[in-house]
Amino acid sequence: MKKKLFAIVLAIVVCVASVSVAFAMSADEAKQAAASVVNTTTDQSKVTSPFIDVVKSVQGSVVGVNNYQNYTVNNYSPYYGFGGFGFGFGGGSGRGSNRSGSETTEKLTSTGSGVVVYDHVVLTNYHVVEDATRLTLSILNSDDEIAATVVAYDESLDVAVVYAPDLKLAPVTLGDSDQLQVGEWSICIGNPLSDKLRGTVTVGIISALDRQINSTTTTDKYGLKRQVTNSMIQTDAAINSGNSGGGMFNVLGQLMGIPSMKISNNSYYSSSSATIEGIGLVIPINAAKPLIEEAITKVLTGDVTAPAADDNTTRVVSTGDKPLLGVTISPLNTSNDYRVYTGQLPTGMQVIEVVDGAPAAAAGIQVNDIIVEVDGVLADTATHVQQTLASHNFGDTISVKVYRAEGMDNADGEVGEGEYLDFDVNLFEFNTAA
């Protein structure tokens, strides 16, 4: 028994001695051994992913959109903010200062994202640029801010297009969102949490198509208020504050949609007891294409200036030897009609009279229709309508958009349901004396 115990102890001593010898290296040998562990490489050519090439090709075309707004701060006297002791009614006790005034300051109100879709033209969300007094763009690898201006928008769709003449980034390619399939990859790129996380890439799948989402009450570009239901794409790719207006791409690198919102526990879409993860909503790119086309046309024709001053005269739209619609119109705006001020009716030109046999009558335009757009130009003044007509010749066909509502001639001013109608009007010659 003693011999056996001795043999076991001897074996343990030998093992310990062996371990000690194994680690008894020189400093150089130790460094070489450590280097063999940490000095490794990765062959990028052997790393496969459907996202790498897409991100490389489009990430630089996603920009930040900075919304600056002016705020007025009132500077009152130190006496409780009432301007002396007059309590705001113009009086005072003669004690202290009665000085009051205001100071306007500019603040960065919000940031979002955008995607270059044409030279100097960026697509984003309307809510990203809403109420901005100044817009700038931030690019991926620079701290410079580039001046931009809104050239087209649709509040109800939550889409806007901005123009930045000093922006020199390659545009992305638009895809066809009608061809999206549930289950395909969804690659979202944007600037969540302002510029600190520029060019963030998140990936998921298309979870569903044609989600009917009710917006809050919005105002369209003609001034009409309504609740709109938009058809949205659902994805489980992470969409965070600041991603709005960025891009959702497919594996071909095509822009398929505009990330717009997410459903979360604190949103009005959910109950307080719900646990919500991975429900992001994206505007299909096909829904935004008409607005993109409108904006590019404005940029290429140089029509990116502010509207002219209001022209509130009532007149027959006539341009001498140029074509005319054959209608008498009257401005309808926030300053002269309460229904426009409250958003029940859009801003435009109300048709007071339609001449029999004139182009407007032949096309189907009626008395009390509100002309809101002529050939893509907002009909917010009679001058704009005349200028648009003056650019055409007899025989041309132009598009006229009107808003037609029930009860426009009601004595109490109440109007019923209305809708936008589009007419193609042929500008033929007719007898203006008819």
Side-chain angles (χ1 to χ4, degrees), residues 153-169:
Y153 69 89
D154 186 333
E155 181 181 355
S156 61
L157 188 60
D158 194 23
V159 173
V161 185
V162 303
Y163 172 60
D166 293 331
L167 182 68
K168 305 187 186 305
L169 295 177

Side-chain angles (χ1 to χ4, degrees), residues 302-326:
D303 185 20
V304 292
T305 57
D310 286 343
D311 181 351
N312 290 325
T313 57
T314 301
R315 68 190 69 194
V316 176
V317 178
S318 174
T319 54
D321 59 351
K322 287 291 186 177
L324 62 155
L325 291 175

Side-chain angles (χ1 to χ4, degrees), residues 143-270:
D143 292 330
D144 294 337
E145 293 188 30
I146 300 169
T149 184
V150 176
V151 292
Y153 69 89
D154 186 333
E155 181 181 355
S156 61
L157 188 60
D158 194 23
V159 173
V161 185
V162 303
Y163 172 60
D166 293 331
L167 182 68
K168 305 187 186 305
L169 295 177
V172 302
T173 301
L174 306 187
D176 180 0
S177 53
D178 289 342
Q179 302 303 315
L180 280 171
Q181 305 172 77
V182 173
E184 71 172 272
W185 290 114
S186 165
I187 308 168
C188 293
I189 304 178
N191 290 8
L193 306 179
S194 74
D195 281 346
K196 296 178 181 179
L197 300 174
R198 292 181 188 175
T200 294
V201 180
T202 58
V203 174
I205 62 167
I206 302 297
S207 304
L209 302 170
D210 300 322
R211 291 294 196 207
Q212 300 303 302
I213 304 298
N214 290 329
S215 70
T216 56
T217 301
T218 59
T219 304
D220 67 17
K221 66 179 180 178
Y222 310 112
L224 184 69
K225 288 185 178 179
R226 55 172 56 182
Q227 186 178 69
V228 179
T229 299
N230 287 323
S231 180
M232 308 280 277
I233 302 163
Q234 181 185 334
T235 178
D236 66 351
I239 296 175
N240 296 293
S241 178
N243 269 109
S244 293
M248 185 192 79
F249 301 88
N250 62 12
V251 294
L252 302 179
Q254 296 174 320
L255 182 63
M256 304 301 283
I258 313 160
S260 182
M261 67 178 75
K262 65 180 293 186
I263 299 179
S264 61
N265 289 80
N266 59 2
S267 74
Y268 64 88
Y269 292 109
S270 65

